[in-house]
Amino acid sequence: MKQIDTKNAPAAIGPYSQAVEANGFVYLSGQLPVDPVTGAFPEGGVKEQARQSLANVGAILSEAGLDYSNVVKTTVFLADMSDFADMNEVYAQFFSKPYPARSAVAVKALPKGALIEIEVIAAR
């Protein structure tokens, strides 16, 4: 297993890696909408937070030598399922056909009061 780490995405704040590679797959930890420069969430709502979470995903993929087209599965965690349409609008700007498989679930709460967290699995 190979650890993947970049300063262009928020640092892991616990006993986990930003991503690991094993057997030709790259598994990214869930990405909160934390700006890696400021350490804060972007101003606005779920659209802005989704954009930041996906930018963080992109930075980690890039460090692994991959991009969004390598993503085969995503999981989107939402603090409120009523934000699904807004999240989906932003999500569609980052992925194209063939789209990765996806799950989207509402959770009771996310770390730091985030509205969204996104994790992905990518293949070489």
Side-chain angles (χ1 to χ4, degrees):
M1 185 168 69
K2 175 185 171 189
Q3 180 177 354
I4 297 166
D5 188 41
T6 178
K7 294 186 185 322
N8 296 322
I13 55 172
Y16 64 91
S17 300
Q18 285 177 330
V20 295
E21 182 171 354
N23 300 319
F25 288 93
V26 177
Y27 300 86
L28 277 69
S29 294
Q31 293 301 301
L32 292 171
V34 175
D35 182 314
V37 175
T38 66
F41 292 161
E43 296 282 327
V46 75
K47 285 184 180 183
E48 292 77 14
Q49 288 195 17
R51 192 169 289 109
Q52 183 64 58
S53 288
L54 287 163
N56 294 342
V57 164
I60 297 168
L61 289 170
S62 179
E63 184 67 23
L66 304 173
D67 61 31
Y68 297 103
S69 69
N70 295 100
V71 174
V72 295
K73 172 72 167 84
T74 67
T75 305
V76 178
F77 302 96
L78 293 165
D80 186 339
M81 194 53 82
S82 69
D83 287 333
F84 182 86
D86 286 340
M87 172 280 297
N88 212 38
E89 181 182 321
V90 173
Y91 182 96
Q93 297 169 13
F94 287 81
F95 297 100
S96 58
K97 291 183 179 181
Y99 297 113
R102 181 178 77 186
S103 299
V105 297
V107 296
K108 184 173 180 171
L110 288 165
K112 299 184 175 191
L115 301 176
I116 190 167
E117 181 174 359
I118 302 172
E119 68 178 27
V120 309
I121 300 169
R124 288 221 175 266

